[in-house]
Amino acid sequence: RSPLHSCESPEQVLQQFFHTQFPGAFSTTHLLQQPCDTRPPFPQFFSPVLTRRGFLLDKAQGFSSAGVESIPVLAALQSSPVLHSLLSGLCRQLQVPNVRRWSSFFTAGVEQDDFQEALEELKTLSQCYETGFGADGSEDEEDSD
């Protein structure tokens, strides 16, 4: 028996699956009990190999002439220490150019102080994902201020 057999609900099965596949990453799951409605005015951009309920047709049945009325949905939200290197890299790249030289940037309504504040918030957000377990191994010199 696997750990999945001890789960009491489909949501617990998904949570256990994500924990097994992505250890160390925070994830949350939510299972919708009903499929999402896709009748008009929802755009019909679905493949003709789907049934009205959003499942794949057997190849033997060919193509469906009916529109898709609903689809089952599975979604996951995960957080990972990899975000530290991604966000800190973005922060470093935004510090390189001299934004005062971008006149169109500020004529669009962005103030220099607001930009610097957003940059600091980005740096703080990046630090929230730092784990110290081999994230990217480098320290920003600006962080030592």
Side-chain angles (χ1 to χ4, degrees):
R1 288 177 53 96
S2 74
L4 296 177
H5 287 94
S6 62
C7 296
E8 297 177 10
S9 70
E11 281 186 339
Q12 288 179 347
V13 171
L14 286 174
Q15 189 68 39
Q16 180 66 35
F17 172 78
F18 286 125
H19 179 71
T20 303
Q21 294 298 310
F22 308 102
F26 174 77
S27 61
T28 185
T29 59
H30 182 72
L31 183 66
L32 298 178
Q33 299 300 319
Q34 299 295 321
C36 289
D37 188 34
T38 58
R39 288 178 284 198
F42 196 90
Q44 290 295 311
F45 51 75
F46 300 104
S47 169
V49 297
L50 295 177
T51 66
R52 291 184 309 141
R53 297 184 67 197
F55 293 104
L56 285 173
L57 287 168
D58 290 333
K59 294 201 184 287
Q61 292 179 345
F63 293 99
S64 170
S65 61
V68 177
E69 295 177 358
S70 65
I71 55 172
V73 176
L74 172 68
L77 177 64
Q78 292 185 312
S79 175
S80 170
V82 173
L83 288 173
H84 169 69
S85 59
L86 176 77
L87 293 172
S88 62
L90 177 61
C91 190
R92 279 192 300 275
Q93 288 181 355
L94 287 172
Q95 290 174 341
V96 171
N98 184 355
V99 293
R100 288 184 214 118
R101 301 172 88 191
W102 299 346
S103 60
S104 61
F105 190 72
F106 293 107
T107 56
V110 176
E111 298 290 333
Q112 177 72 30
D113 291 340
D114 293 340
F115 177 78
Q116 289 302 324
E117 183 180 340
L119 201 55
E120 286 301 316
E121 289 176 7
L122 182 62
K123 189 184 297 185
T124 301
L125 180 62
S126 167
Q127 291 169 351
C128 291
Y129 292 100
E130 191 171 20
T131 62
F133 298 113
D136 67 358
S138 65
E139 294 246 350
D140 290 338
E141 290 181 20
E142 294 83 15
D143 290 344
S144 61
D145 293 340

